[in-house]
Amino acid sequence: MARSLMQRCLAVLALAAIVSADRFSDQFDLVGSGGDVQVKDDGNTQEVALIMNRGSGGAGFSSKDKYLYGEFSVQMKLIGGNSAGTVTSLYLTSGEGDGHDEIDIEFCGNLSGDPYMMNTNVWASGDGKKEHQFYLWFDPTADFHTYKIVWNPKNIIFQVDDVPVRTFKKYDDLPYPSSKPMTVHATLWDGSFWATRKGSIKIDWNQAPFVVNYRAYSSNGCVNNGGSSACPAGSNAWMNRELNTKELGTVAWAEKNYMSYNYCADGWRFPQGFPAECSRD
């Protein structure tokens, strides 16, 4: 009887939908050493700076909770100046295994004066290589901007300052992140081997320290720490959200004017044919 009651309690806990405030220390474990992570707190709002120096290995934070679907957003101010070779991210992942799920927003650093590149990607049961990359239409190093991931059973939506730039749809016969709870992560690391001009431009450590700032984190999601593969109805703000005609127009605008890479147009990468979803979107 006691065990049955405990199991029921854990099931309820695993399915609880929550809305999180923007206090990082309440929701995240900060990963770094020494001065690699700095937290500013005015009593109401926290701001986290991730700092990378030569040999520091980068820094980051990861959520204490796991989620199965939700809406996740944060304001970021990216590294200014020559940031070539650096990678800054906001992403969700179920782990490191071959069959993992993952939803990525990554920012690849640049040489001074070059545009910043935002990489979006989706992994489902270890099936990845689904990148859409965009040059941003503003300077993301001059001020904070909001980046958001909406993940529900119908689609994944990527937004920049409330402007949808990509949607990744679910098809019943194709892999989609739908059963593995994921933690939220943010990182700053050395991606010299691939980040800037396909790895041809490396980090100039004379420009260190490299600093990226995060603030105003918000999550409205289905907390799933008990391993259940189910989720309650959730908030209509995200659980059933799909892009309307106007929002699909902003995706088309972003693709036309700012897209720098689309995996569905990379015949060299897929000589045996494009992934199946490419012919359905």
Side-chain angles (χ1 to χ4, degrees):
M1 179 68 69
R3 181 177 180 181
S4 177
L5 177 60
M6 180 179 295
Q7 288 173 332
R8 289 199 298 270
C9 291
L10 287 174
V12 171
L13 178 62
L15 298 179
I18 68 167
V19 178
S20 302
D22 58 0
R23 295 184 64 79
F24 288 85
S25 60
D26 295 335
Q27 302 170 72
F28 290 96
D29 293 318
L30 305 180
V31 181
S33 60
D36 296 339
V37 180
Q38 294 182 0
V39 179
K40 299 177 182 178
D41 193 334
D42 64 4
N44 296 309
T45 302
Q46 288 182 336
E47 182 177 311
V48 175
L50 302 183
I51 303 166
M52 183 169 64
N53 287 286
R54 184 194 296 271
S56 69
F61 49 86
S62 58
S63 65
K64 298 176 181 178
D65 287 317
K66 295 181 179 180
Y67 300 87
L68 186 65
Y69 303 130
E71 179 182 76
F72 311 91
S73 70
V74 73
Q75 293 183 3
M76 299 170 60
K77 184 177 180 181
L78 303 185
I79 302 165
N82 179 1
S83 58
T86 65
V87 179
T88 303
S89 68
L90 170 70
Y91 67 98
L92 293 88
T93 184
S94 65
E96 302 292 336
D98 292 339
H100 80 292
D101 292 347
E102 188 167 313
I103 304 170
D104 299 324
I105 296 179
E106 297 172 313
F107 299 93
C108 298
N110 60 10
L111 293 171
S112 298
D114 287 353
Y116 243 95
M117 190 270 285
M118 181 179 74
N119 179 54
T120 65
N121 198 9
V122 176
W123 290 78
S125 298
D127 180 16
K129 300 180 180 178
K130 303 182 187 301
E131 299 98 335
H132 280 186
Q133 297 176 352
F134 302 87
Y135 290 122
L136 296 172
W137 52 93
F138 52 83
D139 179 0
T141 73
D143 204 349
F144 285 90
H145 292 267
T146 303
Y147 305 93
K148 180 184 292 185
I149 295 170
V150 179
W151 170 37
N152 63 36
K154 298 180 180 180
N155 59 185
I156 297 164
I157 301 168
F158 298 88
Q159 294 185 193
V160 179
D161 289 336
D162 293 326
V163 176
V165 298
R166 181 184 182 185
T167 179
F168 183 87
K169 299 178 182 178
K170 180 184 184 299
Y171 298 100
D172 290 340
D173 59 331
L174 299 178
Y176 184 83
S178 59
S179 62
K180 301 181 183 74
M182 295 198 273
T183 49
V184 184
H185 298 260
T187 55
L188 169 62
W189 53 283
D190 178 358
S192 290
F193 66 97
W194 74 277
T196 307
R197 299 183 187 176
K198 298 182 179 180
S200 63
I201 308 297
K202 311 300 182 184
I203 283 184
D204 179 2
W205 290 108
N206 292 321
Q207 306 296 319
F210 300 102
V211 181
V212 59
N213 294 282
Y214 293 80
R215 72 180 187 190
Y217 171 78
S218 176
S219 69
N220 184 345
C222 181
V223 174
N224 192 313
N225 295 327
S228 170
S229 61
C231 181
S235 167
N236 285 332
W238 56 267
M239 191 63 178
N240 296 304
R241 188 171 175 227
E242 295 180 274
L243 299 184
N244 59 34
T245 300
K246 182 178 179 181
E247 291 171 322
L248 289 172
T250 70
V251 172
W253 166 81
E255 290 178 349
K256 178 181 178 181
N257 295 286
Y258 297 100
M259 179 176 278
S260 59
Y261 178 82
N262 179 357
Y263 74 105
C264 286
D266 190 346
W268 180 87
R269 193 178 191 184
F270 300 102
Q272 304 303 318
F274 293 114
E277 68 271 11
C278 293
S279 61
R280 304 187 194 182
D281 290 341

